[in-house]
Amino acid sequence: MVSGNQNIDELLISTRTNIDSHDKIASYMNNINNNSDSLNVYDFVERELKNVISKRTMERIPYSQVKYSEDDDKIAEGGFGVIHKALWLNETIIALKTFPKSQNISKFLLNEVRSLHRCYDTIFIVKYYGITQHPETKDFMLIMEYASGGDLHSHLKNNFTNIK
């Protein structure tokens, strides 16, 4: 399913192709010589291909699968977006981050999505499920794991002196 926005479509495709691993393999292969141990080459390529296969892809999720109230479910508001508590597929509590006026795709939205994708397997980073688009406003929204402990800004503000 395409979003109708070239930047978003390219981003979704890039999560499926995992260009970083392909670049690593190409660079490695360009830098080996005739004396290279073929078993080491095989191990490197196998490890990188496993990374490609295991990497999470960014999915386009139909807006109809998300239920929330713009007024009642607002959790936080930041410089580039508003976060709402929502329900996905009528059962999973999620955080829905909306990017107002993002139909023109801001670099902030693209950078955030790329960063989330690169850090997907990092233990303390909120996971994402996909991206959707409001059918009327055309604003893009990230569907993310709900953090019951609140937002990072509030946590740091309240606990900064106790963090070790």
Side-chain angles (χ1 to χ4, degrees):
M1 180 190 300
V2 294
S3 72
N5 182 289
Q6 183 178 353
N7 292 319
I8 291 293
D9 293 340
E10 287 175 2
L11 181 65
L12 295 174
I13 290 168
S14 75
T15 68
R16 286 172 183 76
T17 57
N18 203 339
I19 293 168
D20 292 341
S21 288
H22 292 152
D23 289 345
K24 282 184 190 175
I25 292 171
S27 176
Y28 185 87
M29 296 306 288
N30 286 332
N31 291 317
I32 63 173
N33 60 42
N34 291 338
N35 298 328
S36 296
D37 182 359
S38 54
L39 186 56
N40 289 341
V41 173
Y42 175 81
D43 287 342
F44 175 81
V45 172
E46 181 182 41
R47 189 172 53 253
E48 286 304 316
L49 289 176
K50 283 181 182 176
N51 286 340
V52 169
I53 293 167
S54 68
K55 199 69 167 168
R56 174 94 165 110
T57 61
M58 173 69 73
E59 298 296 327
R60 176 125 167 88
I61 296 173
Y63 181 80
S64 61
Q65 294 181 358
V66 179
K67 305 283 185 255
Y68 77 105
S69 165
E70 288 187 40
D71 299 324
D72 299 333
D73 298 325
K74 185 172 160 184
I75 298 172
E77 189 169 352
F80 307 113
V82 180
I83 300 174
H84 299 274
K85 184 176 181 181
L87 208 55
W88 179 34
L89 297 172
N90 291 324
E91 62 184 50
T92 305
I93 297 173
I94 58 164
L96 182 68
K97 185 166 187 178
T98 63
F99 293 87
K101 298 183 178 34
S102 61
Q103 65 274 18
N104 297 326
I105 298 299
S106 70
K107 65 179 180 179
F108 305 109
L109 168 63
L110 293 173
N111 286 340
E112 181 153 351
V113 173
R114 281 187 193 107
S115 296
L116 279 172
H117 181 68
R118 282 197 175 118
C119 300
Y120 187 81
D121 293 325
T122 307
I123 190 167
F124 297 111
I125 302 294
V126 170
K127 305 294 184 244
Y128 65 82
Y129 299 112
I131 192 166
T132 192
Q133 187 176 28
H134 193 285
E136 293 169 13
T137 66
K138 303 298 183 199
D139 290 338
F140 285 96
M141 305 169 165
L142 284 178
I143 298 172
M144 302 166 54
E145 179 180 31
Y146 178 73
S148 59
D151 66 279
L152 178 62
H153 177 75
S154 297
H155 179 75
L156 290 174
K157 183 177 166 185
N158 297 329
N159 300 296
F160 187 76
T161 56
N162 298 327
I163 295 175
K164 297 190 178 2

